Amino acid sequence: MIKVGILGATGYVGIELVRILSQHPQVKIVSVVSQSFVGQNISDIYPNLRGIVDQKCEELDVEKIANRCDVVFTALPHGASKTVIPQFVQHGVKVIDLSGDFRYNDVSIYEKWYGTKHDNPELLDISVYGLPELHRDEIAKAHLIGNPGCYTTCSILALVPLIANKLIDTRHIIIDAKSGVSGAGRGLSLDTHFCECTENIKAYKVATHRHTSEIEQELSLVAGEEIILSFTPHLIPMKRGILSTAYADLKQKYTAGELLKIYEEYYKGEFFIRIYDEGKLPETNHVSGSNFVDIGLVVDERLNRVVVVSALDNLIKGAAGQAVQNMNIMFELDEKTGLVASGLYL
Ligand SMILES: NC(=O)C1=CN([C@@H]2O[C@H](COP(=O)(O)OP(=O)(O)OC[C@H]3O[C@@H](n4cnc5c(N)ncnc54)[C@H](OP(=O)(O)O)[C@@H]3O)[C@@H](O)[C@H]2O)C=CC1
Ligand SMILES: CC(=O)N[C@@H](CCC(=O)OP(=O)(O)O)C(=O)O
């Protein structure tokens, strides 16, 4: 059995990790760590887990946790993980970090977009961007994973086949994405207050959202040249789910059917990517509670522009599910293990 610890277990991502890993046949959860609920049972905080995971939350004592775990998931706010992760790495414990701290190849990009200094830039040399569909071989050998963000997973996977096959003009890509409110975490804030986000939709951090840089990093790697693009996130009155709509100009004429064949071919064998037939498009309900990314597209023939629509659950393929997929790869398990229960509809 793989012995796991979950830091930030009481957060929205952390509790999805607890839920998924409690049903994983090769995992034993040995430690759930909290900052504010030390000594309380996790199932008192999330009563849906009563009788399933009745484990007490521990304080963050790296030495104690590292001695008992093969791998730790750090589902802490950006910045908070930076101090503890190097200690786990030194203890030889594998780490899958859900924050943005270890997702970047170039520290100056992290520092520019996160507006803070990185304390351990040397670890960026060993960390691997945990998007299995792009970096599976590196993930298998990694000790430290920077697990991708939710908007980024949804947006990158929607565009990769077009970029890898050089089908679009990469200078004018636009991504318009919408997220459910759980994307902002469980902490209280004015933006996610009931009256502020119910019956209301808003764009935020337009042209400045940090996920722009993460999407650009990965798409540039695929393209073999620097890509910069427009990314606009929106907060919508739903609990979970991301829907991303990407627009790009085609270099030549293609029908939707031809492009969909290219997508099918590119993602052949990728269980967690589902390509829709022509005339159908993904919706957030189709992926809720699951580790799938669903992708469909339309060609706007008047403009010779492709419009790619993708959907995922921000807490699963956008966070906890993808992290477990990475763990499966790191421990040489079938990467679907523990991740194929059907999703929620509604
Ligand atoms: N929500 C989402 O859809 C996604 C989130 N992420 C990333 O995952 C991470 C977790 O996000 P999310 O679950 O939404 O956040 P939450 O705010 O819901 O949870 C944060 C967790 O971190 C703990 N925590 C907060 N501050 C500290 C600290 N200084 N030291 C130790 N523990 C601390 C909290 O503990 P306690 O409750 O005990 O105070 C809580 O368990 C973030 O980095 C986020 O950016 C990534 C992809 C998607
Ligand atoms: C709705 C909402 O607020 N979403 C978050 C993104 C959540 C996420 O993906 O977190 P990472 O930054 O760790 O990738 C945001 O816009 O910052």
Side-chain angles (χ1 to χ4, degrees):
M1 294 294 252
I2 304 166
K3 289 171 276 164
V4 311
I6 302 163
L7 276 58
T10 50
Y12 282 159
V13 170
I15 205 62
E16 285 294 341
L17 282 164
V18 173
R19 188 177 68 80
I20 295 169
L21 290 168
S22 68
Q23 291 159 43
H24 191 296
Q26 302 292 331
V27 162
K28 183 170 168 45
I29 300 176
V30 297
S31 174
V32 290
V33 179
S34 161
Q35 180 175 242
S36 321
F37 300 97
V38 176
Q40 284 192 47
N41 199 311
I42 194 94
S43 60
D44 287 336
I45 306 160
Y46 288 93
N48 55 318
L49 290 173
R50 279 179 66 189
I52 302 168
V53 188
D54 297 303
Q55 206 155 330
K56 275 203 176 13
C57 295
E58 306 178 26
E59 65 179 339
L60 178 45
D61 179 332
V62 174
E63 194 84 19
K64 243 163 113 182
I65 298 164
N67 286 336
R68 284 181 289 150
C69 293
D70 301 309
V71 56
V72 293
F73 293 85
T74 47
L76 308 176
H78 304 293
S81 5
K82 277 191 304 206
T83 51
V84 291
I85 285 174
Q87 300 177 52
F88 281 111
V89 172
Q90 271 165 16
H91 278 84
V93 176
K94 291 185 197 274
V95 179
I96 301 174
D97 180 41
L98 282 291
S99 83
D101 295 343
F102 295 96
R103 293 178 189 153
Y104 288 84
N105 301 330
D106 178 346
V107 70
S108 68
I109 306 223
Y110 172 88
E111 292 182 345
K112 176 175 162 215
W113 288 80
Y114 282 70
T116 177
K117 239 181 145 38
H118 201 296
D119 299 335
N120 310 98
E122 70 288 354
L123 286 185
L124 295 180
D125 294 337
I126 65 153
S127 67
V128 173
Y129 191 71
L131 191 53
E133 291 77 9
L134 296 191
H135 300 295
R136 186 169 283 112
D137 293 346
E138 294 161 78
I139 292 166
K141 292 181 242 148
H143 287 274
L144 172 57
I145 297 286
N147 208 65
C150 47
Y151 281 125
T152 37
T153 297
C154 200
S155 309
I156 292 166
L157 294 174
L159 287 163
V160 163
L162 296 173
I163 291 171
N165 287 291
K166 305 202 179 306
L167 304 181
I168 54 170
D169 179 346
T170 52
R171 292 168 303 175
H172 302 123
I173 298 171
I174 295 173
I175 303 168
D176 170 289
K178 301 110 202 145
S179 172
V181 181
S182 61
R186 195 176 190 227
L188 303 179
S189 78
L190 186 58
D191 281 344
T192 55
H193 174 306
F194 185 83
C195 292
E196 302 288 329
C197 67
T198 310
E199 296 177 48
N200 189 34
I201 299 182
K202 65 174 180 185
Y204 64 102
K205 297 185 183 162
V206 179
T208 58
H209 196 283
R210 59 199 179 199
H211 283 187
T212 314
S213 58
E214 209 181 307
I215 299 168
E216 288 174 351
Q217 167 180 287
E218 292 303 305
L219 292 184
S220 298
L221 277 175
V222 173
E225 62 182 6
E226 190 186 18
I227 291 184
I228 55 172
L229 48 76
S230 294
F231 170 68
T232 305
H234 300 77
L235 191 64
I236 55 169
M238 292 192 339
K239 286 190 189 173
R240 58 203 295 162
I242 294 214
L243 190 84
S244 161
T245 311
Y247 303 82
D249 295 332
L250 289 161
K251 286 185 185 162
Q252 292 175 33
K253 288 221 173 295
Y254 289 97
T255 64
E258 286 166 338
L259 293 180
L260 287 166
K261 266 205 195 110
I262 290 168
Y263 272 68
E264 286 286 1
E265 184 57 32
Y266 192 86
Y267 287 129
K268 202 157 86 190
E270 293 296 351
F271 181 81
F272 291 116
I273 300 192
R274 300 188 295 199
I275 307 300
Y276 279 42
D277 290 342
E278 192 173 351
K280 294 189 175 158
L281 291 174
E283 299 174 20
T284 52
N285 271 349
H286 304 174
V287 289
S288 186
S290 84
N291 198 51
F292 287 108
V293 183
D294 285 7
I295 302 175
L297 59 82
V298 171
V299 172
D300 185 338
E301 286 173 6
R302 294 178 317 130
L303 297 160
N304 202 30
R305 182 171 291 159
V306 59
V307 183
V308 189
V309 178
S310 52
L312 56 67
D313 185 321
N314 55 298
L315 296 174
I316 312 291
K317 182 63 174 168
Q322 181 137 272
V324 173
Q325 191 180 349
N326 282 318
M327 180 202 75
N328 288 339
I329 296 169
M330 293 163 92
F331 287 86
E332 297 178 26
L333 301 176
D334 179 332
E335 72 187 62
K336 304 191 290 302
T337 313
L339 290 170
V340 265
S342 78
L344 321 164
Y345 194 79
L346 299 181

